[in-house]
Amino acid sequence: MRMLVFFDLPVTTASERKAATQFRKFLLKDGYHMVQYSVYARVCNGNDAVRKHEMRLNVNLPKEGSIRLLVITEKQYESMRVLLGEKTQFDSSEVTDLMNFF
């Protein structure tokens, strides 16, 4: 599964810029990668991991702005198309070979 985080944060004052930067740093530290500006994605191994990372997001939300979370399957993520521009290094398909231990 993939978690996609979309955000639009105010950056007009120094404190707002600091909050936006702290949120982006949290996303990177928590295993997200930037898909494009203000859109970050993270691989999760099942619904339990999604719930865990959603709670972590809630703890680290800035006080202002708009943040959306979308959870999709790997198959849905792989069907994403780049409609304008060139693919970047971040657009390459990240294969997620999940290990199962029985």
Side-chain angles (χ1 to χ4, degrees):
M1 302 186 90
R2 294 269 178 153
M3 293 177 68
L4 295 171
V5 176
F6 308 86
F7 59 91
D8 186 15
L9 301 176
V11 290
T12 53
T13 67
S15 63
E16 289 173 342
R17 283 190 298 276
K18 183 177 180 180
T21 299
Q22 286 176 337
F23 183 67
R24 283 191 299 274
K25 285 182 178 180
F26 158 74
L27 290 174
L28 293 171
K29 185 178 175 186
D30 201 41
Y32 291 83
H33 69 276
M34 187 173 74
V35 177
Q36 66 184 53
Y37 292 119
S38 299
V39 180
Y40 286 70
R42 182 186 202 297
V43 176
C44 286
N45 188 9
N47 289 324
D48 290 338
V50 168
R51 281 191 293 276
K52 177 181 99 172
H53 287 286
E54 185 176 357
M55 289 186 336
R56 290 176 55 87
L57 270 173
N58 281 320
V59 169
N60 289 282
L61 291 177
K63 293 182 189 226
E64 297 181 30
S66 175
I67 298 173
R68 308 270 192 266
L69 172 64
L70 175 65
V71 179
I72 59 176
T73 65
E74 282 300 307
K75 189 160 187 87
Q76 291 167 326
Y77 187 81
E78 290 170 3
S79 69
M80 186 184 329
R81 302 284 186 261
V82 176
L83 300 178
L84 179 64
E86 303 273 332
K87 283 190 175 186
T88 66
Q89 66 181 1
F90 299 110
D91 292 329
S92 62
S93 178
E94 289 185 20
V95 178
T96 54
D97 294 327
L98 302 177
M99 298 175 60
N100 291 321
F101 295 98
F102 296 98

